[in-house]
Amino acid sequence: MIDMKVRGLFWLLTALLLASLMTLSYFVVKDKSITLFFIMEGVILLTAIYLIIFYRRIIKPLQIIGDGMDLLKEQDFSSRLREVGQKDADRIVEIFNKMMEQLKNERLSLREQNHFMDLLINASPLGVLILDLDDRILSLNPAGCKMFQVAAPDGYRGKMLQALSSPLAAELIKIPPQDSQTIRLNDANIYKCTHASFIDKGFHHSFYLLEPLTEDVFKAEKKAYEKVIRMIAHEVNNTTAGITSTLDTLGTTFSGQAEMEDVCEVLNIAIDRCYSMSRFITNFADVVRIPEAAFQYVQLNHLVLSCKRFMETVCARRSIQLNLYISEADPKVYLDPTLFEQVLVNIIKNSAESIGQNGQIDIYVKNNPVSLEIVDNGKGIDKETQAKLFTPFFSTKPKGQGIGLIFIREVLQQHTCSFSLQTNKNGLTSFKIIFNSF
């Protein structure tokens, strides 16, 4: 803008000077004075030379500065200004070109860093959820999509965190800023969640860093309870074996003696108690010795129907109606039928025990995605209990051993299934299994 004004004034001055000189030349020619004519021609020539020098020294540098301002405005850091042959102007050009080169390098470095960060976040096994200034979802990396069970983050971009229909999202909202908590969900998954922030353009943006701990915690838990169970089983079985043998010997010795009938009865009760203790500890040991799955393709409808028929009698004793809704597609699944039948038996048995008497259990086989859901109208599970369900030896039953859900967890993990157990808002308790290989 300044360059155009100066050039306008320059050309106006040039026009006035030339007009004045041409007017004087007219009067000189009119008087027919040759000397004055040559003098006027010389003045005009000198004026033209002066105007050219003035343009090169004043107007041209201003024009170059204007061109540089345009390049900065357009953020064209790859273009450069040319030297004009003037020391002061060329110095400005040199400084400007160095500045443009530095801006170009810094911008390129920033782009490379941002690209690297994008690649790092997308490839990271940690979930990264970034919120904007209004606490709306700005971005979610692939690991986060898997944790939240979201097909693509674009559908949730710009929405509040509550829009994610995931138990994990509901727990994240409770974490205060600059805090870190370990969360155990009702699907047996465990996450270390950190709520932090970063500064962008002078404003704080919240983000969540989600570290999956499920596999490491399960390995540590299994290693711990395997050692404890084996030690206890060894000591108990050795002890009960010796006691049982001694009691059998005493029972044989006292048998047939009328005065020792009461003693023999006490001995038999003690022997039964020893056997009961042995079976009790064996149940724990069986959890450690779950065999490797022998996979084969199985029709899911047929497998569930067979299990339903097996459990109908158990449910009928409690006046519980057991319903099955099979899938029309009848999907094939790759699993161990023996282990998986035991999983279904345990789930249905738990549902029946939760109901007690007079209730209903519905089994749904679905095809998209391939999944299985067992729903009951029992007394339900509260929020605090849901997070503890798949921990070793935890049970809500007065005489429960806390190994049924551990067995279910171990088998479903062998089958790479996703699963969850929760009581929904409608009061129904649902155990859902998703076959991830389909």
Side-chain angles (χ1 to χ4, degrees), residues 269-339:
I269 293 173
I271 291 172
D272 290 340
R273 179 58 183 162
C274 287
Y275 284 131
S276 177
M277 179 63 70
S278 180
R279 287 192 298 270
F280 177 82
I281 198 63
T282 300
N283 288 336
F284 282 106
D286 288 341
V287 177
V288 180
R289 295 193 294 266
I290 295 176
E292 290 293 325
F295 290 97
Q296 64 185 69
Y297 282 102
V298 178
Q299 300 292 147
L300 188 56
N301 284 349
H302 178 75
L303 177 68
V304 178
L305 179 60
S306 175
C307 184
K308 172 185 177 292
R309 289 172 178 170
F310 177 74
M311 294 299 295
E312 278 178 342
T313 304
V314 175
C315 292
R317 291 173 185 168
R318 296 174 175 264
S319 300
I320 296 174
Q321 185 177 357
L322 184 60
N323 302 316
L324 173 60
Y325 303 92
I326 61 176
S327 169
E328 293 182 0
D330 193 9
K332 276 188 177 183
V333 288
Y334 195 57
L335 49 75
D336 183 322
T338 303
L339 286 177

Coordinates of all heavy atoms in Angstrom, one line a residue, residues 269-339:
I269 N -18.1 -89.4 60.0 CA -18.3 -88.0 59.7 C -17.0 -87.2 59.5 O -16.9 -86.4 58.6 CB -19.0 -87.3 60.9 CG1 -20.5 -87.9 61.0 CG2 -19.1 -85.8 60.8 CD1 -21.2 -87.4 62.3
A270 N -16.0 -87.6 60.3 CA -14.6 -87.0 60.1 C -14.0 -87.3 58.7 O -13.4 -86.5 58.1 CB -13.7 -87.4 61.2
I271 N -14.2 -88.6 58.3 CA -13.7 -89.1 57.0 C -14.4 -88.3 55.9 O -13.7 -87.9 54.9 CB -13.9 -90.6 56.9 CG1 -13.0 -91.3 57.9 CG2 -13.6 -91.0 55.4 CD1 -13.2 -92.8 57.9
D272 N -15.7 -88.2 56.0 CA -16.5 -87.4 54.9 C -16.0 -86.0 54.9 O -15.9 -85.4 53.8 CB -18.0 -87.5 55.2 CG -18.5 -88.9 55.0 OD1 -17.9 -89.7 54.3 OD2 -19.6 -89.2 55.5
R273 N -15.7 -85.4 56.1 CA -15.2 -84.0 56.1 C -13.9 -83.9 55.4 O -13.6 -83.0 54.7 CB -15.2 -83.6 57.5 CG -14.6 -82.1 57.7 CD -15.5 -81.2 57.0 NE -15.0 -79.8 57.1 CZ -15.3 -78.8 56.3 NH1 -16.2 -79.0 55.3 NH2 -14.8 -77.6 56.4
C274 N -13.0 -84.9 55.6 CA -11.7 -84.9 54.9 C -11.8 -85.0 53.4 O -11.2 -84.3 52.7 CB -10.9 -86.0 55.5 SG -10.2 -85.8 57.1
Y275 N -12.7 -85.9 53.0 CA -13.0 -86.0 51.5 C -13.6 -84.7 51.0 O -13.2 -84.2 49.9 CB -13.9 -87.2 51.2 CG -13.2 -88.5 51.3 CD1 -13.8 -89.5 52.0 CD2 -12.0 -88.7 50.7 CE1 -13.2 -90.8 52.1 CE2 -11.4 -90.0 50.8 CZ -12.0 -91.0 51.5 OH -11.3 -92.2 51.6
S276 N -14.5 -84.1 51.7 CA -15.1 -82.8 51.3 C -14.0 -81.7 51.2 O -14.0 -80.9 50.2 CB -16.1 -82.4 52.3 OG -16.7 -81.1 51.9
M277 N -13.1 -81.7 52.1 CA -12.0 -80.7 52.1 C -11.1 -80.9 50.9 O -10.7 -80.0 50.2 CB -11.2 -80.8 53.4 CG -10.0 -79.8 53.4 SD -10.5 -78.1 53.4 CE -11.3 -77.9 55.0
S278 N -10.9 -82.2 50.6 CA -10.0 -82.5 49.5 C -10.7 -82.1 48.1 O -10.0 -81.6 47.2 CB -9.7 -84.0 49.4 OG -8.9 -84.4 48.3
R279 N -12.0 -82.4 48.0 CA -12.7 -81.9 46.8 C -12.7 -80.4 46.7 O -12.6 -79.8 45.6 CB -14.2 -82.5 46.9 CG -14.3 -83.9 46.6 CD -15.7 -84.4 46.4 NE -16.6 -84.1 47.5 CZ -16.8 -84.9 48.5 NH1 -16.2 -86.1 48.5 NH2 -17.6 -84.6 49.5
F280 N -12.9 -79.7 47.9 CA -12.9 -78.3 47.9 C -11.6 -77.7 47.3 O -11.6 -76.8 46.5 CB -13.1 -77.8 49.3 CG -13.1 -76.3 49.5 CD1 -14.2 -75.5 49.2 CD2 -11.9 -75.6 49.9 CE1 -14.2 -74.1 49.4 CE2 -11.9 -74.3 50.0 CZ -13.0 -73.5 49.8
I281 N -10.5 -78.2 47.8 CA -9.2 -77.7 47.3 C -8.9 -78.1 45.9 O -8.2 -77.4 45.1 CB -8.0 -78.1 48.2 CG1 -6.8 -77.2 48.0 CG2 -7.7 -79.6 48.1 CD1 -7.0 -75.8 48.3
T282 N -9.5 -79.3 45.5 CA -9.3 -79.7 44.1 C -10.0 -78.8 43.1 O -9.5 -78.6 42.0 CB -9.8 -81.2 43.9 OG1 -9.1 -82.0 44.8 CG2 -9.7 -81.7 42.5
N283 N -11.1 -78.3 43.5 CA -11.8 -77.3 42.7 C -10.9 -76.1 42.4 O -10.9 -75.6 41.2 CB -13.1 -76.8 43.3 CG -14.2 -77.9 43.3 OD1 -14.1 -78.8 42.5 ND2 -15.1 -77.8 44.3
F284 N -10.2 -75.6 43.4 CA -9.3 -74.5 43.1 C -8.1 -74.9 42.2 O -7.7 -74.2 41.3 CB -8.7 -74.0 44.5 CG -9.6 -73.2 45.3 CD1 -10.3 -73.6 46.4 CD2 -9.9 -71.8 44.9 CE1 -11.1 -72.8 47.1 CE2 -10.7 -71.0 45.6 CZ -11.4 -71.5 46.7
A285 N -7.6 -76.1 42.4 CA -6.5 -76.6 41.6 C -6.9 -76.8 40.1 O -6.1 -76.6 39.2 CB -6.0 -77.9 42.2
D286 N -8.2 -77.1 39.9 CA -8.7 -77.3 38.5 C -8.6 -76.0 37.7 O -8.4 -76.0 36.5 CB -10.1 -77.8 38.5 CG -10.1 -79.3 39.0 OD1 -9.1 -80.0 38.9 OD2 -11.2 -79.7 39.4
V287 N -8.8 -74.9 38.4 CA -8.7 -73.6 37.7 C -7.3 -73.4 37.1 O -7.1 -72.8 36.0 CB -9.0 -72.4 38.7 CG1 -8.9 -71.1 38.0 CG2 -10.4 -72.6 39.2
V288 N -6.3 -73.8 37.9 CA -4.9 -73.7 37.4 C -4.6 -74.6 36.2 O -3.8 -74.3 35.3 CB -3.9 -74.0 38.6 CG1 -2.5 -73.8 38.1 CG2 -4.2 -73.0 39.7
R289 N -5.3 -75.8 36.2 CA -5.0 -76.8 35.2 C -6.0 -76.8 34.1 O -6.3 -77.9 33.5 CB -5.0 -78.2 35.9 CG -3.9 -78.4 36.9 CD -3.8 -79.8 37.3 NE -4.9 -80.3 38.0 CZ -5.1 -80.3 39.3 NH1 -4.1 -79.9 40.1 NH2 -6.2 -80.8 39.9
I290 N -6.5 -75.6 33.7 CA -7.4 -75.6 32.5 C -6.6 -76.0 31.3 O -5.6 -75.4 31.0 CB -7.9 -74.1 32.3 CG1 -8.8 -73.7 33.5 CG2 -8.7 -74.1 31.0 CD1 -9.3 -72.3 33.4
P291 N -7.1 -77.0 30.5 CA -6.3 -77.5 29.4 C -6.3 -76.5 28.2 O -7.2 -75.6 28.2 CB -7.1 -78.8 29.0 CG -8.5 -78.6 29.5 CD -8.3 -77.8 30.8
E292 N -5.4 -76.6 27.4 CA -5.3 -75.8 26.2 C -6.5 -76.1 25.3 O -6.9 -77.3 25.1 CB -4.0 -76.0 25.4 CG -2.8 -75.4 26.1 CD -2.8 -73.9 26.1 OE1 -3.3 -73.3 25.2 OE2 -2.3 -73.4 27.2
A293 N -7.1 -75.1 24.7 CA -8.3 -75.3 23.9 C -8.0 -76.1 22.6 O -7.0 -75.8 21.9 CB -8.9 -73.9 23.5
A294 N -8.8 -77.1 22.3 CA -8.7 -77.8 21.0 C -9.7 -77.3 20.1 O -10.9 -77.6 20.1 CB -9.0 -79.3 21.3
F295 N -9.3 -76.3 19.2 CA -10.2 -75.6 18.4 C -10.8 -76.4 17.2 O -10.0 -77.2 16.6 CB -9.5 -74.3 17.9 CG -9.3 -73.3 18.9 CD1 -8.0 -73.2 19.5 CD2 -10.2 -72.4 19.3 CE1 -7.7 -72.3 20.5 CE2 -10.0 -71.5 20.3 CZ -8.7 -71.4 20.9
Q296 N -12.0 -76.1 16.9 CA -12.6 -76.7 15.7 C -13.8 -75.8 15.4 O -14.3 -75.1 16.2 CB -13.1 -78.1 15.9 CG -14.1 -78.3 17.0 CD -14.5 -79.7 17.3 OE1 -13.6 -80.5 17.9 NE2 -15.6 -80.2 16.9
Y297 N -14.3 -75.9 14.1 CA -15.5 -75.1 13.7 C -16.7 -75.8 14.2 O -16.9 -77.0 14.0 CB -15.5 -74.9 12.2 CG -14.5 -73.9 11.7 CD1 -13.3 -74.3 11.1 CD2 -14.8 -72.5 11.8 CE1 -12.4 -73.3 10.7 CE2 -13.9 -71.6 11.4 CZ -12.7 -72.0 10.8 OH -11.8 -71.0 10.4
V298 N -17.6 -75.0 14.8 CA -18.8 -75.5 15.4 C -20.0 -74.6 15.1 O -19.8 -73.4 15.0 CB -18.7 -75.6 17.0 CG1 -20.0 -76.1 17.6 CG2 -17.5 -76.5 17.4
Q299 N -21.1 -75.2 14.8 CA -22.4 -74.4 14.6 C -22.8 -73.8 15.9 O -23.1 -74.6 16.8 CB -23.4 -75.2 13.9 CG -23.1 -75.8 12.6 CD -23.0 -74.8 11.5 OE1 -22.2 -74.9 10.6 NE2 -23.8 -73.7 11.6
L300 N -22.8 -72.5 16.1 CA -23.1 -71.9 17.4 C -24.5 -72.2 17.8 O -24.8 -72.5 19.0 CB -22.9 -70.4 17.3 CG -23.0 -69.6 18.6 CD1 -22.0 -70.2 19.6 CD2 -22.7 -68.2 18.4
N301 N -25.5 -72.2 16.9 CA -26.9 -72.5 17.3 C -27.0 -73.9 17.9 O -27.6 -74.1 18.9 CB -27.8 -72.5 16.1 CG -28.1 -71.0 15.7 OD1 -27.8 -70.1 16.4 ND2 -28.7 -70.9 14.5
H302 N -26.3 -74.9 17.3 CA -26.4 -76.3 17.8 C -25.7 -76.4 19.1 O -26.2 -77.1 20.0 CB -25.7 -77.2 16.8 CG -25.7 -78.6 17.2 ND1 -26.8 -79.5 17.1 CD2 -24.7 -79.4 17.7 CE1 -26.5 -80.7 17.6 NE2 -25.2 -80.7 17.9
L303 N -24.6 -75.7 19.3 CA -23.9 -75.8 20.6 C -24.7 -75.2 21.7 O -24.8 -75.8 22.8 CB -22.6 -75.0 20.5 CG -21.7 -75.0 21.8 CD1 -21.2 -76.3 22.1 CD2 -20.6 -74.0 21.6
V304 N -25.3 -74.1 21.5 CA -26.1 -73.4 22.5 C -27.4 -74.2 22.8 O -27.9 -74.4 24.0 CB -26.5 -72.0 22.1 CG1 -27.3 -71.3 23.2 CG2 -25.2 -71.2 21.9
L305 N -28.0 -74.8 21.8 CA -29.2 -75.6 21.9 C -28.9 -76.8 22.8 O -29.7 -77.2 23.7 CB -29.8 -76.0 20.6 CG -31.0 -76.9 20.6 CD1 -32.2 -76.2 21.3 CD2 -31.4 -77.3 19.1
S306 N -27.8 -77.5 22.6 CA -27.4 -78.6 23.3 C -27.2 -78.3 24.8 O -27.6 -79.0 25.7 CB -26.1 -79.2 22.8 OG -25.6 -80.3 23.6
C307 N -26.6 -77.1 25.1 CA -26.4 -76.7 26.4 C -27.7 -76.3 27.1 O -27.9 -76.6 28.3 CB -25.4 -75.5 26.4 SG -25.0 -74.9 28.1
K308 N -28.6 -75.7 26.3 CA -29.9 -75.4 26.9 C -30.7 -76.6 27.4 O -31.3 -76.7 28.4 CB -30.8 -74.6 25.8 CG -32.2 -74.4 26.2 CD -33.0 -73.8 25.1 CE -34.5 -73.6 25.5 NZ -35.2 -74.8 25.6
R309 N -30.7 -77.7 26.5 CA -31.4 -78.9 26.9 C -30.7 -79.5 28.2 O -31.5 -80.0 29.0 CB -31.3 -79.9 25.8 CG -32.1 -79.5 24.6 CD -31.9 -80.4 23.4 NE -32.7 -80.1 22.3 CZ -32.6 -80.6 21.0 NH1 -31.6 -81.4 20.8 NH2 -33.4 -80.2 20.1
F310 N -29.4 -79.4 28.3 CA -28.7 -79.9 29.5 C -29.1 -79.2 30.8 O -29.3 -79.7 31.8 CB -27.2 -79.8 29.3 CG -26.4 -80.3 30.5 CD1 -26.3 -81.7 30.7 CD2 -25.8 -79.4 31.3 CE1 -25.6 -82.1 31.8 CE2 -25.1 -79.8 32.4 CZ -25.0 -81.2 32.7
M311 N -29.4 -77.8 30.6 CA -29.7 -77.0 31.8 C -31.1 -76.8 32.1 O -31.5 -76.2 33.1 CB -29.0 -75.6 31.6 CG -27.5 -75.6 31.6 SD -26.8 -76.3 33.2 CE -27.3 -75.0 34.3
E312 N -32.0 -77.3 31.2 CA -33.5 -77.2 31.4 C -33.9 -77.8 32.7 O -34.8 -77.2 33.4 CB -34.2 -77.7 30.2 CG -34.2 -76.8 29.0 CD -35.0 -77.4 27.8 OE1 -35.1 -78.7 27.8 OE2 -35.4 -76.7 26.9
T313 N -33.4 -78.9 33.1 CA -33.9 -79.6 34.3 C -33.5 -78.8 35.5 O -34.3 -78.6 36.5 CB -33.2 -81.0 34.4 OG1 -33.6 -81.8 33.2 CG2 -33.7 -81.8 35.6
V314 N -32.2 -78.3 35.5 CA -31.8 -77.5 36.7 C -32.7 -76.2 36.8 O -33.1 -75.9 38.0 CB -30.3 -77.0 36.4 CG1 -29.8 -76.1 37.6 CG2 -29.4 -78.3 36.3
C315 N -33.0 -75.6 35.7 CA -33.9 -74.4 35.8 C -35.3 -74.8 36.2 O -36.0 -74.0 36.9 CB -33.8 -73.7 34.4 SG -32.2 -72.9 34.0
A316 N -35.8 -75.9 35.7 CA -37.2 -76.3 36.0 C -37.4 -76.5 37.5 O -38.4 -76.2 38.0 CB -37.5 -77.5 35.2
R317 N -36.3 -77.0 38.2 CA -36.4 -77.2 39.6 C -36.6 -75.9 40.4 O -37.2 -75.9 41.5 CB -35.1 -77.9 40.1 CG -35.0 -79.3 39.7 CD -33.6 -79.8 40.1 NE -33.3 -81.2 39.5 CZ -32.1 -81.7 39.5 NH1 -31.1 -81.1 40.1 NH2 -32.0 -82.9 39.0
R318 N -36.2 -74.8 39.8 CA -36.3 -73.5 40.4 C -37.5 -72.7 39.8 O -37.6 -71.5 40.1 CB -35.0 -72.7 40.2 CG -33.8 -73.3 41.0 CD -32.6 -72.5 40.6 NE -31.4 -73.0 41.4 CZ -31.0 -72.4 42.5 NH1 -31.6 -71.4 43.0 NH2 -29.9 -72.9 43.1
S319 N -38.3 -73.4 38.9 CA -39.4 -72.7 38.2 C -38.9 -71.5 37.4 O -39.5 -70.5 37.4 CB -40.5 -72.2 39.2 OG -41.0 -73.3 39.9
I320 N -37.8 -71.7 36.7 CA -37.2 -70.7 35.9 C -37.4 -71.1 34.4 O -37.1 -72.2 34.0 CB -35.7 -70.5 36.2 CG1 -35.5 -70.0 37.6 CG2 -35.0 -69.6 35.2 CD1 -34.0 -70.0 38.1
Q321 N -37.9 -70.2 33.7 CA -38.1 -70.4 32.2 C -36.8 -70.1 31.5 O -36.3 -69.0 31.6 CB -39.3 -69.6 31.7 CG -39.7 -69.8 30.3 CD -40.8 -69.0 29.8 OE1 -41.4 -68.3 30.6 NE2 -41.2 -69.2 28.6
L322 N -36.3 -71.1 30.7 CA -35.1 -70.9 29.9 C -35.5 -70.8 28.4 O -36.0 -71.8 27.9 CB -34.2 -72.1 30.2 CG -32.8 -72.1 29.5 CD1 -32.0 -70.8 29.9 CD2 -32.0 -73.3 29.8
N323 N -35.2 -69.7 27.8 CA -35.6 -69.4 26.4 C -34.4 -69.3 25.6 O -33.4 -68.7 26.0 CB -36.5 -68.2 26.3 CG -37.7 -68.2 27.2 OD1 -38.4 -69.2 27.2 ND2 -38.0 -67.1 27.9
L324 N -34.5 -69.7 24.3 CA -33.4 -69.6 23.4 C -33.9 -69.0 22.1 O -34.9 -69.4 21.5 CB -32.8 -71.0 23.1 CG -31.7 -71.1 21.9 CD1 -30.5 -70.2 22.3 CD2 -31.3 -72.5 21.7
Y325 N -33.1 -67.9 21.6 CA -33.4 -67.2 20.4 C -32.2 -67.3 19.5 O -31.2 -66.6 19.7 CB -33.8 -65.7 20.7 CG -34.9 -65.6 21.6 CD1 -34.7 -65.4 23.0 CD2 -36.2 -65.5 21.2 CE1 -35.7 -65.3 23.9 CE2 -37.3 -65.4 22.1 CZ -37.0 -65.2 23.4 OH -38.1 -65.1 24.3
I326 N -32.3 -68.3 18.6 CA -31.2 -68.6 17.7 C -31.1 -67.6 16.5 O -32.1 -67.0 16.2 CB -31.2 -70.0 17.2 CG1 -32.5 -70.3 16.4 CG2 -31.1 -71.0 18.4 CD1 -32.5 -71.7 15.8
S327 N -29.9 -67.6 15.9 CA -29.7 -66.7 14.7 C -30.1 -67.5 13.5 O -29.8 -68.7 13.3 CB -28.2 -66.3 14.6 OG -28.0 -65.7 13.4
E328 N -30.8 -66.8 12.6 CA -31.2 -67.4 11.3 C -30.0 -67.8 10.5 O -30.0 -68.7 9.7 CB -32.1 -66.4 10.5 CG -33.4 -66.2 11.2 CD -34.3 -65.3 10.4 OE1 -33.9 -64.8 9.3 OE2 -35.4 -65.0 10.8
A329 N -28.9 -67.0 10.6 CA -27.7 -67.3 9.8 C -26.9 -68.5 10.3 O -26.1 -69.1 9.6 CB -26.8 -66.0 9.8
D330 N -27.2 -68.9 11.6 CA -26.5 -70.0 12.2 C -24.9 -69.9 12.0 O -24.4 -70.7 11.3 CB -27.0 -71.3 11.7 CG -26.5 -72.5 12.5 OD1 -26.0 -72.3 13.6 OD2 -26.7 -73.7 12.1
P331 N -24.3 -68.9 12.6 CA -22.8 -68.7 12.3 C -22.0 -69.9 12.8 O -22.3 -70.5 13.8 CB -22.5 -67.4 13.1 CG -23.6 -67.4 14.2 CD -24.8 -68.0 13.6
K332 N -20.9 -70.1 12.1 CA -19.9 -71.0 12.6 C -18.8 -70.3 13.4 O -18.4 -69.2 13.0 CB -19.2 -71.7 11.4 CG -19.9 -72.9 10.8 CD -19.1 -73.6 9.7 CE -19.8 -74.8 9.2 NZ -19.0 -75.6 8.2
V333 N -18.4 -70.9 14.5 CA -17.4 -70.3 15.3 C -16.2 -71.3 15.5 O -16.5 -72.5 15.5 CB -17.9 -69.9 16.7 CG1 -18.8 -68.6 16.5 CG2 -18.7 -71.0 17.3
Y334 N -15.0 -70.8 15.7 CA -13.8 -71.6 15.9 C -13.5 -71.6 17.4 O -13.0 -70.7 18.0 CB -12.7 -70.9 15.1 CG -11.5 -71.8 14.9 CD1 -11.6 -73.1 14.3 CD2 -10.2 -71.4 15.4 CE1 -10.5 -73.9 14.1 CE2 -9.1 -72.3 15.2 CZ -9.3 -73.5 14.5 OH -8.2 -74.3 14.3
L335 N -13.9 -72.8 18.0 CA -13.7 -72.8 19.5 C -13.5 -74.3 19.9 O -13.6 -75.2 19.1 CB -14.9 -72.2 20.2 CG -16.3 -72.6 19.7 CD1 -16.7 -74.0 20.2 CD2 -17.3 -71.6 20.3
D336 N -13.3 -74.4 21.2 CA -13.3 -75.8 21.9 C -14.7 -76.0 22.4 O -15.1 -75.4 23.4 CB -12.2 -75.8 23.0 CG -12.1 -77.1 23.6 OD1 -13.1 -77.8 23.8 OD2 -10.9 -77.5 24.0
P337 N -15.4 -76.9 21.8 CA -16.8 -77.1 22.3 C -16.9 -77.6 23.7 O -17.9 -77.2 24.5 CB -17.4 -78.2 21.3 CG -16.2 -78.8 20.7 CD -15.1 -77.8 20.7
T338 N -16.0 -78.4 24.2 CA -16.1 -78.9 25.6 C -15.9 -77.8 26.6 O -16.7 -77.6 27.5 CB -15.0 -80.0 25.8 OG1 -15.2 -81.1 24.9 CG2 -15.1 -80.5 27.2
L339 N -14.8 -77.0 26.4 CA -14.6 -75.9 27.3 C -15.7 -74.8 27.2 O -16.1 -74.3 28.2 CB -13.2 -75.2 27.0 CG -12.0 -76.0 27.4 CD1 -10.7 -75.2 26.9 CD2 -11.9 -76.2 28.9

